[in-house]
């Protein structure tokens, strides 16, 4: 579902971290993945795209900066460079977001695209977006624009349900952008309604129905489904079952949505994380040898090399108690 | 990916056709866990009926893929894959000469043969069951007959009102039934009768 052209090889790669529910570790993952990459000598820009609820600067132990993403979106400042603040970590810069709702920008789609295009032209290798909670259009659009959309999930029912809802929202948002015909849009809107009477239960049914109305659009939707490959990270893992959950979610998504979800890794529940949080320091710099640090490095490695966990991994890892 | 209904046994387990026995066993264990009663991953996407259906399909797939002979036969007959290296003695005569998806390919142990299907009382659901027993993906029938797969999906779900007019339908059903080793004309008679019933106005 990448929207930008693939012609510029030096273009930086955008990762977006989302997943619906609040508190699943999106900011934790964003900050620490960024640090993991910069530790490997990569030039990284971290962007707090949690418009209205920004707190990445706190995770990194820096004060709320003067200029933010909102200022770029509202046009108060023109040059992106002005909004980048150093983090004290080599090769890692931060653009903060708006801290409260009043300052929050509500950018138009084209505006967001333009901004991201500019950001991509900066001399960076990786750009990491912390999307914040929810399924607002801003969040969905940023997720769609990203080269790698990362979903942070906790091994608990509400978080899992939210991730599924997030996936559904993301590609229905995309579908609506493709479908121009009112009649097709109508079908898509109705499919979003759980209790629709057309018998549209799954995205498959939706696509079949659309294909019958308009073959070309149906074909396009199918292609979108194929190219949409969100990455899954299970955070705060406490047991082997929690690790297995990632594989189960991957399978369920394939069977239900017809999409390929890649399980790129998990991070153990680790007291070092809140110890670091309390001190307003990033976990990876404070406790580089901790179990959660190991998880972060593995996830970063899989994302960089486009790899994922395989089921025989479950056999190889001894149960942890 | 394709809907479950159309998936072949490898797709059911989300493994490659070259998967080892160990990988198949792992995928089977994972699938049972994923779609079982205590699963956190599946309950919000599939209701309990649907999960039962998936589990049924998983067992069906495992029955074939865990049995070396049945698996290689499945590979050859249904997926058109080259037979893996194996001693010639393990390939029985009937297997070598078995026509594509013919009834004799059914293992005796399932206790269900073509003869036990009463065509006079058969519905779309039975057709689906027969097809799955044979391990034939719906997509394959669609490819072979060049008929839109959605018609077969409606047929197998008894959604008769969504099927095309009888003039076309008859030939579709005949082709479908023959690929399952059934008597095409008799199955078509039965299905067209069902379609006719469904198209009668509802009694007030
Ligand atoms: N692996 C972990 N082990 C222990 N604690 C963790 C772990 N991951 C995250 N936490 C803690 O969980 C809390 C929520 O994390 P975080 O703020 O990153 O979530 P978020 O998804 O960004 O939340 P929001 O939706 O509010 O932006 C934090 O206090 C963090 O320290
Ligand atoms: Mg956050």
């Amino acid at each position: 579902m990448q929207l930008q052209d693939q012609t510029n090889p030096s273009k930086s790669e955008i990762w977006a971290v989302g997943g619906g529910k609040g508190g699943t570790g999106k900011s934790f993952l964003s900050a620490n993945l960024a640090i993991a990459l910069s530790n490997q000598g990569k030039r990284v820009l971290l962007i707090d795209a949690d418009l209205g609820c920004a707190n990445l600067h706190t995770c990194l132990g820096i004060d709320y900066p003067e200029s933010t993403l909102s200022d770029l979106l509202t046009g108060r400042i023109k040059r992106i460079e002005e909004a980048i603040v150093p983090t004290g970590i080599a090769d890692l810069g931060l653009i903060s977001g708006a801290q409260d709702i009043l300052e929050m920008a509500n950018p138009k789609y084209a505006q967001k695209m333009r901004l991201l295009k500019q950001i991509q032209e900066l001399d960076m290798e990786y750009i990491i977006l912390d999307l914040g909670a929810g399924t607002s259009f801003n969040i969905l659009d940023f997720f769609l624009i990203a080269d790698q959309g990362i979903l942070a999930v906790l091994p608990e029912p509400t978080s899992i349900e939210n991730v599924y809802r997030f996936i559904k929202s993301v590609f229905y948002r995309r579908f609506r952008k493709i479908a121009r015909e009112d009649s097709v849009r109508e079908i898509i809107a109705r499919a979003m309604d759980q209790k629709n009477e057309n018998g549209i239960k799954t995205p498959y049914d939706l696509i079949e129905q659309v294909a019958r109305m308009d073959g070309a659009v149906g074909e396009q939707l199918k292609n979108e489904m194929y190219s949409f490959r969100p990455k899954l990270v299970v955070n705060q893992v406490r047991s082997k079952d929690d690790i297995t959950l990632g594989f189960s979610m991957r399978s369920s998504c394939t069977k239900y949505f017809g999409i390929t979800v890649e399980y790129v890794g998990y991070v153990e529940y680790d007291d070092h994380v809140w110890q670091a949080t309390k001190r307003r320091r990033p976990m990876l710099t404070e406790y580089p040898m901790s179990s959660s640090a190991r998880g972060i490095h593995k996830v970063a490695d899989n994302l960089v090399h486009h790899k994922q966990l395989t089921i025989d991994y479950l056999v190889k890892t001894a149960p942890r108690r | 990916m394709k809907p479950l209904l159309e998936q072949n046994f490898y797709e059911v387990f989300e493994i490659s056709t070259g998967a080892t026995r160990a990988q198949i066993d792992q995928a089977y264990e994972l699938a049972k866990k994923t779609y079982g009663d205590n699963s956190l991953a599946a309950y919000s996407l599939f209701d309990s009926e649907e999960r039962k259906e998936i589990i049924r399909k998983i067992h069906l797939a495992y029955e074939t893929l865990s049995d070396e002979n049945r698996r290689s036969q499945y590979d050859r007959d249904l997926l058109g894959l080259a037979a893996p290296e194996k001693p010639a003695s393990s390939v029985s005569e009937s297997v070598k000469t078995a026509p594509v998806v013919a009834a004799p390919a059914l293992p005796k142990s399932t206790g269900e043969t073509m003869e036990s299907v009463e065509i006079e009382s058969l519905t779309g659901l039975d057709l689906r069951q027969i097809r799955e027993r044979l391990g034939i993906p719906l997509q394959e029938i669609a490819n072979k007959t060049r008929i839109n797969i959605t018609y077969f999906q409606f047929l197998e779900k008894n959604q008769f009102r969504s099927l095309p007019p009888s003039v076309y339908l008859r030939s579709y059903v005949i082709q479908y039934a023959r690929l399952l080793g059934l008597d095409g004309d008799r199955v078509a008679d039965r299905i067209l009768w069902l379609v006719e019933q469904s198209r009668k106005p509802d009694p007030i």
Side-chain angles (χ1 to χ4, degrees):
Chain A
M1 264 197 208
Q2 278 88 51
L3 302 179
Q4 62 293 88
D5 62 358
Q6 315 274 307
T7 46
N8 181 357
S10 67
K11 207 189 57 182
S12 45
E13 188 172 311
I14 301 179
W15 297 359
V17 185
K21 200 176 178 311
T24 59
K26 296 177 291 296
S27 301
F28 162 72
L29 285 174
S30 304
N32 287 285
L33 285 173
I35 296 169
L37 291 174
S38 69
N39 285 352
Q40 290 176 26
K42 307 271 201 275
R43 292 184 306 284
V44 187
L45 177 63
L46 191 52
I47 299 181
D48 197 335
D50 192 350
L51 301 177
C53 220
N55 58 15
L56 260 187
H57 58 281
T58 308
C59 298
L60 294 167
I62 51 184
D63 291 332
Y64 188 59
E66 200 138 286
S67 305
T68 68
L69 190 65
S70 295
D71 298 317
L72 283 168
L73 286 164
T74 56
R76 196 185 66 81
I77 56 171
K78 293 277 176 289
R79 293 183 58 248
I80 294 174
E81 286 84 345
E82 287 174 51
I84 301 178
V85 290
T87 60
I89 295 161
D91 292 320
L92 177 62
L94 169 74
I95 297 183
S96 199
Q99 231 175 348
D100 61 61
I101 288 289
L102 288 178
E103 286 176 62
M104 180 174 126
N106 196 4
K108 292 242 156 54
Y109 186 73
Q111 233 180 327
K112 280 177 279 192
M113 292 305 216
R114 211 177 315 125
L115 178 68
L116 268 168
K117 220 171 147 66
Q118 286 174 310
I119 288 171
Q120 274 191 303
E121 276 154 21
L122 295 169
D123 186 26
M124 297 284 172
E125 285 161 284
Y126 291 94
I127 290 162
I128 299 185
L129 302 174
D130 175 6
L131 295 186
T135 53
S136 70
F137 285 168
N138 278 331
I139 288 174
L140 301 180
D141 288 341
F142 281 134
F143 196 86
L144 278 164
I145 292 163
D147 297 291
Q148 310 226 50
I150 300 160
L151 299 164
V153 67
L154 298 182
E156 54 189 45
T158 43
S159 174
I160 296 163
E161 286 177 23
N162 272 289
V163 163
Y164 291 151
R165 206 163 301 141
F166 186 86
I167 293 177
K168 203 165 174 179
S169 307
V170 168
F171 66 51
Y172 284 169
R173 170 84 174 155
R174 183 76 189 114
F175 282 6
R176 270 186 65 89
K177 288 224 167 290
I178 295 171
R180 300 240 161 263
E181 285 287 326
D182 281 346
S183 54
V184 175
R185 286 186 158 209
E186 171 77 357
I187 293 280
I188 294 170
R190 257 187 281 156
M192 278 301 283
D193 180 6
Q194 289 289 350
K195 291 184 283 294
N196 69 77
E197 278 147 27
N198 309 48
I200 299 179
K201 272 220 71 181
T202 67
Y204 288 125
D205 299 335
L206 171 64
I207 290 181
E208 289 301 334
Q209 183 136 354
V210 170
R212 255 171 280 141
M213 297 172 67
D214 184 333
V217 175
E219 205 49 42
Q220 239 178 320
L221 297 191
K222 259 180 220 168
N223 289 337
E224 287 297 325
M225 289 239 300
Y226 284 125
S227 56
F228 180 51
R229 289 174 165 260
K231 314 291 182 278
L232 188 69
V233 177
V234 184
N235 187 25
Q236 301 196 5
V237 160
R238 293 170 210 251
S239 67
K240 192 164 177 178
D241 275 349
D242 291 347
I243 300 174
T244 309
L245 175 72
F247 293 108
S248 290
M249 286 182 72
R250 180 172 77 187
S251 170
S252 298
C253 286
T254 301
K255 295 223 191 303
Y256 182 82
F257 296 110
I259 59 169
T260 308
V261 169
E262 288 174 14
Y263 183 21
V264 290
Y266 58 86
V267 180
E268 292 182 15
Y269 178 86
D270 184 356
D271 276 351
H272 290 115
V273 177
W274 70 259
Q275 279 174 25
T277 307
K278 267 201 304 202
R279 289 156 56 186
R280 294 209 296 143
R281 297 291 304 153
M283 180 280 296
L284 211 60
T285 31
E286 290 295 284
Y287 305 104
M289 307 309 279
S290 63
S291 64
S292 50
R294 264 202 313 280
I296 290 282
H297 283 299
K298 175 97 184 154
V299 170
D301 192 56
N302 280 338
L303 286 167
V304 167
H305 296 108
H306 302 278
K307 290 184 304 189
Q308 61 169 323
L309 302 187
T310 52
I311 359 177
D312 48 359
Y313 190 87
L314 277 179
V315 183
K316 281 185 285 189
T317 23
R320 206 176 49 89
R321 275 287 128 231
Chain B
M1 281 310 291
K2 297 178 278 180
L4 190 66
L5 202 64
E6 299 160 34
Q7 286 176 0
N8 68 41
F9 291 162
Y10 294 99
E11 289 166 329
V12 167
F13 284 139
E14 294 144 31
I15 52 178
S16 76
T17 49
T20 61
R21 175 61 198 267
Q23 286 169 328
I24 291 169
D25 287 349
Q26 279 162 18
Y28 180 56
E29 289 309 314
L30 176 68
K32 281 193 293 186
K33 230 183 212 167
T34 300
Y35 301 99
D37 282 339
N38 299 320
S39 165
L40 284 186
Y43 77 87
S44 62
L45 296 179
F46 304 98
D47 62 31
S48 71
E49 275 309 306
E50 290 165 328
R51 270 177 292 149
K52 268 191 214 130
E53 179 67 25
I54 295 173
I55 292 271
R56 198 179 66 83
K57 187 118 195 195
I58 285 164
H59 289 309
L60 209 59
Y62 189 69
E63 263 176 43
T64 294
L65 297 190
S66 63
D67 179 317
E68 216 180 300
N69 285 329
R70 287 173 67 179
R71 181 181 173 190
S72 59
Q73 185 178 322
Y74 178 76
D75 289 352
R76 226 167 320 135
D77 293 350
L78 302 165
L79 300 177
L81 297 178
E85 301 271 310
K86 54 171 43 211
S89 62
S90 72
V91 183
S92 73
E93 198 57 31
S94 72
V95 168
K96 263 190 270 175
T97 56
V100 185
V101 304
L106 260 193
K108 302 265 181 300
S109 62
T110 60
E112 192 175 313
T113 62
M114 287 298 113
E115 283 72 37
S116 70
V117 179
E118 287 284 351
I119 290 184
E120 280 59 43
S121 60
L122 162 149
T123 72
L125 302 177
D126 299 314
L127 289 174
R128 174 177 169 195
Q129 213 160 35
I130 295 168
R131 177 180 62 74
E132 288 186 341
R133 277 269 164 211
L134 291 164
I136 306 172
L138 200 56
Q139 185 67 51
E140 184 173 303
I141 297 188
N143 292 348
K144 283 201 174 127
T145 58
R146 295 170 190 273
I147 294 167
N148 189 331
I149 190 162
T150 50
Y151 295 147
F152 296 133
Q153 286 166 340
F154 290 138
L155 170 67
E156 291 189 346
K157 287 187 206 156
N158 286 344
Q159 288 178 5
F160 299 127
R161 284 167 195 246
S162 312
L163 288 169
S166 301
V167 271
Y168 304 111
L169 184 61
R170 182 166 190 90
S171 127
Y172 296 173
V173 175
I174 289 176
Q175 294 179 61
Y176 170 99
R178 283 186 184 152
L179 284 174
L180 301 190
L182 300 172
D183 181 335
D185 280 309
R186 285 177 64 208
V187 173
D189 284 344
R190 167 70 186 165
I191 295 296
L192 287 179
W193 184 82
L194 288 172
V195 170
E196 203 181 305
Q197 299 307 305
S198 76
R199 282 180 181 156
K200 281 186 182 157
D202 292 333
I204 315 262

